[in-house]
């Protein structure tokens, strides 16, 4: 199948729009005609760390329509509308325990995982393209996926809206609904109001009586957070956030989520917690956060890591999409649509804060 793709040939250069060949589905593979794919921070980080001597095909928030399936596929049919998410083996101890985001084969399956059959999945003029990112590499008009990362959805859904549910929206919302589980009267602090942080805000607002305060450097995103229901939006440039959070909440937040991956920010999140409260860290960063161990112990605080919202995508994504259909998870305000040929404009708008979640369309 010949189609166009957004390729990275050099981490220091711009993406390029090129024609590629996608192989037919074999064994348990599924060929999806991609309608839309969200751009996630993980794509950009992986691109910078990727090889510079060959084309790399990224994309892990794809959505589209099934075009064909391999002979071993049972649960997905041609014509199904689908959202693509992360891969998991379904057989290891963590998968069996209902925690597929921590699959023991996660790296092998999601970081440009190898094909089980001979022949390249994607090639460019006969040269294999590095693909298989999150089992999809969906920055192309077609993608080869598998049943474990392909979720069938309502065909009435707008696929450009549905695409980011596969990673970014799932991560933020899951951290709140699956891990923190705030109830009426709770105060949630969201550090970083990108796509993940905004999804956390919207998820918290879907629970009656939960109040949210956002800590964010971008004035445009602080304003949007207030429009989406945040009680307050703090600019860290205006002074230390911890005393302001304690004053606002009457002693400390009951729940917090750090989406930034910045050690100092996670340290602030811990310091702002009330007694017995929990902060969930979802941002991938490096370094050691400055935390007071005595404060953690004496006040019973918890720091908890979280991947992909601790979700089971086959059940959690339909739940989130149901909230969206009911008007209780209005992510439309976060999304900007761009033809895939305008990927540079999409990235520029994201960097400038003009859009929270850019989505490429085919």
């Amino acid at each position: 199948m010949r189609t166009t793709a957004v390729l990275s040939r050099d981490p220091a250069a711009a993406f390029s729009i090129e024609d590629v060949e996608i192989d037919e589905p074999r064994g348990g593979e599924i060929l999806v005609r991609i309608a839309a794919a969200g751009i996630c921070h993980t794509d950009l980080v992986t691109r910078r760390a990727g090889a510079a001597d060959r084309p790399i095909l990224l994309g892990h928030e794809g959505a589209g329509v099934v075009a064909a399936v391999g002979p071993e596929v049972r649960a997905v049919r041609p014509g199904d509308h689908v959202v693509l998410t992360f891969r998991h083996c379904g057989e290891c101890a963590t998968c069996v325990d209902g925690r597929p985001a921590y699959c023991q084969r996660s790296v092998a399956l999601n970081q440009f995982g190898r094909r089980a059959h001979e022949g390249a999945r994607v090639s460019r003029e006969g040269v294999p393209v590095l693909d298989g990112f999150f089992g999809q590499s969906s920055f192309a008009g077609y993608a080869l996926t598998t049943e474990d990362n392909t979720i069938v959805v309502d065909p009435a859904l707008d696929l450009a809206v549905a695409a980011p549910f596969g990673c970014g929206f799932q991560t933020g919302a899951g951290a709140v609904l699956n891990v923190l589980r705030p109830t009426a009267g709770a105060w949630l602090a969201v550090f970083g109001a990108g796509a993940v942080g905004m999804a956390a805000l919207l998820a918290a607002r879907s629970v009656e009586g939960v109040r949210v305060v956002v800590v964010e450097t971008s004035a445009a995103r602080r304003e949007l957070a207030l429009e989406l229901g945040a009680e307050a939006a703090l600019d860290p440039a205006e002074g230390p956030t911890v005393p302001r959070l304690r004053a606002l909440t009457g002693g400390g937040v009951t729940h917090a989520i750090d989406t930034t991956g910045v050690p100092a920010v996670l340290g602030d999140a811990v310091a702002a917690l009330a007694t017995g409260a929990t902060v969930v860290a979802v941002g991938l960063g490096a370094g050691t956060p400055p935390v007071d161990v005595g404060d953690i112990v004496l006040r019973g605080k918890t720091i908890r890591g979280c991947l992909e919202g601790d979700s089971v995508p086959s059940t959690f994504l339909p739940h989130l999409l149901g909230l969206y259909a009911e008007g209780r998870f209005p992510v439309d305000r976060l999304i900007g649509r761009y033809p895939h040929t305008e990927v540079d404009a999409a990235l520029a708008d994201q960097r400038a804060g003009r859009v929270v979640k850019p989505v490429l369309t085919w």
Side-chain angles (χ1 to χ4, degrees):
M1 176 69 66
R2 192 171 183 83
T3 188
T4 56
V6 178
L7 296 182
S8 177
R9 289 189 170 273
D10 186 328
F15 282 102
S16 58
I17 311 301
E18 303 183 41
D19 289 340
V20 296
E21 292 288 340
I22 312 288
D23 196 17
E24 64 183 19
R26 307 186 188 192
E29 294 174 340
I30 301 164
L31 180 66
V32 178
R33 176 172 57 81
I34 297 296
I39 300 176
C40 180
H41 181 66
T42 304
D43 293 308
L44 305 180
V45 170
T46 303
R47 175 197 180 200
R48 289 196 296 268
D53 59 349
R54 62 188 299 180
I56 297 174
L57 181 56
L58 296 160
H60 66 287
E61 290 182 344
V65 181
V66 175
V69 300
E72 297 173 12
V73 174
R74 298 290 179 265
V76 179
R77 300 177 180 178
D80 283 344
H81 288 224
V82 294
V83 171
L84 310 180
T85 186
F86 62 91
R87 289 210 63 193
H88 62 284
C89 74
E91 300 174 349
C92 69
T94 48
C95 283
V96 172
D97 194 37
R99 306 187 72 196
Y102 308 97
C103 173
Q104 294 173 15
R105 294 186 58 206
S106 178
V107 173
L109 293 173
N110 290 288
Q111 293 298 313
F112 306 103
R114 292 184 177 182
R115 192 182 198 185
H117 302 271
E118 292 185 3
R121 283 176 295 223
V122 184
S123 60
R124 161 74 175 162
E125 296 180 345
V127 178
V129 171
L130 187 61
D131 78 310
F133 192 50
F134 279 66
Q136 54 182 282
S137 282
S138 49
F139 281 175
Y142 286 83
L144 284 168
T145 72
T146 51
E147 286 184 281
D148 61 281
N149 70 321
T150 302
I151 311 299
V152 178
V153 299
D154 186 342
L157 278 170
D158 182 341
L159 290 172
V161 173
F165 280 77
C167 183
F169 293 168
Q170 167 176 246
T171 296
V176 173
L177 299 179
N178 296 332
V179 180
L180 291 173
R181 300 184 180 183
T183 55
W187 271 102
L188 169 70
V190 177
F191 291 80
V196 173
M198 289 292 196
L201 161 62
L202 292 175
R205 293 294 297 144
S206 75
V207 181
E208 186 175 355
V210 175
R211 292 173 289 181
V212 182
V213 54
V214 167
V215 180
E216 167 60 42
T217 58
S218 164
R221 291 185 179 181
R222 290 196 304 272
E223 181 179 351
L224 179 58
L226 292 172
E227 292 175 6
L228 292 175
E231 293 280 332
L234 307 182
D235 181 357
E238 293 182 354
T241 58
V242 173
R244 284 187 285 165
L245 287 168
R246 287 177 176 164
L248 176 68
T249 60
V253 297
T254 57
H255 307 80
I257 174 172
D258 172 45
T259 71
T260 70
V262 178
V265 175
L266 180 55
D268 281 351
V270 174
L273 293 177
T275 298
T278 298
V279 57
V280 169
V282 302
L284 290 173
T288 303
V291 297
D292 183 339
V293 175
D295 176 54
I296 293 172
V297 174
L298 294 175
R299 300 188 66 195
K301 298 180 178 182
T302 300
I303 305 172
R304 168 78 151 74
C306 176
L307 278 177
E308 297 289 354
D310 263 32
S311 77
V312 178
S314 60
T315 56
F316 189 59
L317 292 190
H319 172 68
L320 279 186
L321 289 164
L323 291 179
Y324 167 72
E326 295 168 6
R328 298 171 59 197
F329 193 62
V331 293
D332 312 69
R333 297 287 305 279
L334 310 179
I335 291 172
R337 304 162 191 253
Y338 300 82
H340 66 278
T341 52
E342 297 181 11
V343 59
D344 290 338
L347 292 172
D349 284 352
Q350 184 183 45
R351 286 192 296 268
R354 290 186 289 268
V355 65
V356 175
K357 169 59 72 171
V359 175
L360 303 178
T361 60
W362 272 261

